[in-house]
Amino acid sequence: MVVKDCFSIEKSCRWSLVFVWGLFVAPGASLAQPQAAFDTFMVIDRGTALIGADGIEIVRLSKTAHATGALSPDGQWVVFVDSSSIDTGETLASRVVIQSRRNPVDQISVPMIWGRSGSSFQAMWAPNSQRVLICEQGRRNQGRTSAFRIYDLTTKSLVELECSLDQIPTEWSADGKRLLTSVDGRIAWVNMDGTGEPEFITSHFEAAFGAQLSPDGKRLLCMAGFRRPNEDRQPLRLSVVDMETKKRSFVDDPGEVQGYCWSPDGSRIAYTWQPTPEDSDETPFRETFLITCDVDGGHRKTVTSRKYDVSKVGLGRGETTIFFQVIAWR
């Protein structure tokens, strides 16, 4: 690990979650107190929000479409991106916000390296909920590139890391030394400092991405499907992969999944799913369901659903349209 820069971050009292495109609307005033374990979902729903086990919204963090964020393992902190009131005149600047759920005025603001349309953001918490790995992708003169920084809640410091990855990672190892990401369409562990070779988890016979590690570190939740020759798009399904035996099973029904996570104890899975319409060009509305189930897909329960008018969001009806996505379950 190479430290390139370290600086203190000023606290802010007025930031809320947004990503780098969409319509920007003033955020809500405060966050509700954390509920009991298993009672809170962090979701994307025309922005980002926390909802309860009954599907009712607890608090809206942002009203910006295509937002994202992360909930700490202990459920006490949220991290998100805010752009709502930082218009510089030419471009809309963005910053990462780390905010306490118990005390909403306890906020840390971290300026983003890229904060405009076309950039990507992902945040990952350390298991002790005291460090946040901030991952970004954007464009510089040499083309698309990545940046990785760690904010430490204990020392209140930000460290920029020298780390080269083509894809945004989805998991951070418990020892803080490795990242779980996709390499050539396969899920693999890579060293954060860029040394060594990828440790592949999935085989070259299948395409896989978006891996989420179970709390005990023994299983993966990911989108995966066997590779088929001469086909541009692989039929991917939400799958559970055993890290030791490499056995895998499908969790979802055939359809479209985007957004999934583990329950805090790893006994259940939450995912957002919608059926594939028979004639997408003639389907003006799409309904996406938040579903929980056992690891083998059994004992399914529909928590809630959201319906969208495809024509009003400006996308072609033939495209996959999922604006309701589950990010975390605490």
Side-chain angles (χ1 to χ4, degrees):
M1 181 186 299
V2 180
V3 178
K4 295 177 64 177
D5 191 14
C6 179
F7 52 91
S8 60
I9 305 301
E10 295 182 357
K11 290 190 175 181
S12 170
C13 297
R14 190 64 185 167
W15 304 118
S16 69
L17 173 83
V18 297
F19 198 30
V20 293
W21 58 85
L23 299 175
F24 298 95
V25 182
S30 66
L31 287 173
Q33 291 291 326
Q35 296 181 316
F38 295 80
D39 281 353
T40 302
F41 298 96
M42 191 175 192
V43 298
I44 297 173
D45 177 19
R46 299 176 179 88
T48 305
L50 300 179
I51 66 174
D54 54 5
I56 297 175
E57 186 171 301
I58 300 170
V59 62
R60 173 150 297 272
L61 304 173
S62 166
K63 295 182 180 180
T64 301
H66 304 290
T68 189
L71 246 174
S72 63
D74 63 8
Q76 303 304 309
W77 294 86
V78 288
V79 58
F80 47 83
V81 175
D82 173 58
S83 309
S84 57
S85 32
I86 323 171
D87 193 346
T88 62
E90 297 180 358
T91 60
L92 200 61
S94 302
R95 62 191 67 195
V96 178
V97 175
I98 305 165
Q99 179 167 301
S100 168
R101 289 188 64 204
R102 291 195 177 278
N103 183 13
V105 299
D106 186 3
Q107 298 181 343
I108 300 102
S109 177
V110 180
M112 292 188 72
I113 295 174
W114 299 280
R116 55 188 62 88
S117 179
S119 60
S120 302
F121 164 79
Q122 180 69 44
M124 280 155 278
W125 287 92
N128 64 2
S129 300
Q130 292 302 301
R131 295 192 301 161
V132 183
L133 176 61
I134 300 168
C135 309
E136 293 183 65
Q137 272 195 343
R139 293 192 178 276
R140 286 179 172 151
N141 294 334
Q142 67 272 31
R144 196 165 184 83
T145 186
S146 303
F148 299 85
R149 295 176 292 170
I150 295 176
Y151 185 84
D152 192 311
L153 293 174
T154 303
T155 62
K156 303 187 184 307
S157 62
L158 185 71
V159 176
E160 186 173 348
L161 308 176
E162 191 168 284
C163 177
S164 59
L165 278 180
D166 293 332
Q167 301 293 329
I168 288 287
T170 54
E171 286 284 358
W172 188 14
S173 65
D175 62 9
K177 297 179 180 179
R178 299 194 299 171
L179 297 171
L180 195 63
T181 187
S182 295
V183 179
D184 297 328
R186 299 170 61 188
I187 295 170
W189 284 110
V190 297
N191 292 331
M192 187 178 287
D193 61 8
T195 63
E197 296 295 325
E199 180 187 329
F200 288 102
I201 298 172
T202 58
S203 75
H204 63 275
F205 294 110
E206 65 182 337
F209 70 92
Q212 300 291 326
L213 194 64
S214 63
D216 62 7
K218 296 181 178 180
R219 292 164 297 184
L220 289 181
L221 184 63
C222 64
M223 298 300 296
F226 290 106
R227 297 183 186 272
R228 293 183 178 181
N230 303 321
E231 287 192 12
D232 294 334
R233 182 176 180 180
Q234 309 302 330
L236 303 180
R237 296 277 300 278
L238 183 61
S239 306
V240 172
V241 179
D242 187 286
M243 298 279 280
E244 183 177 356
T245 66
K246 305 302 181 185
K247 291 182 179 180
R248 66 223 42 237
S249 59
F250 293 135
V251 175
D252 60 331
D253 287 323
E256 298 166 356
V257 171
Q258 188 169 340
Y260 43 88
C261 59
W262 295 93
S263 67
D265 67 352
S267 66
R268 300 273 288 173
I269 290 166
Y271 64 97
T272 30
W273 171 91
Q274 67 182 27
T276 302
E278 294 183 3
D279 187 348
S280 57
D281 290 335
E282 298 299 325
T283 306
F285 294 94
R286 301 285 178 84
E287 186 171 13
T288 304
F289 300 85
L290 172 56
I291 299 168
T292 62
C293 66
D294 292 341
V295 175
D296 61 2
H299 297 97
R300 299 189 192 198
K301 175 186 177 182
T302 298
V303 176
T304 187
S305 68
R306 300 289 187 271
K307 184 177 286 188
Y308 299 90
D309 183 335
V310 178
S311 62
K312 288 185 178 181
V313 297
L315 293 180
R317 293 180 180 177
E319 300 180 28
T320 299
T321 307
I322 302 181
F323 291 100
F324 184 41
Q325 301 175 36
V326 64
I327 302 172
W329 187 6
R330 300 287 184 260

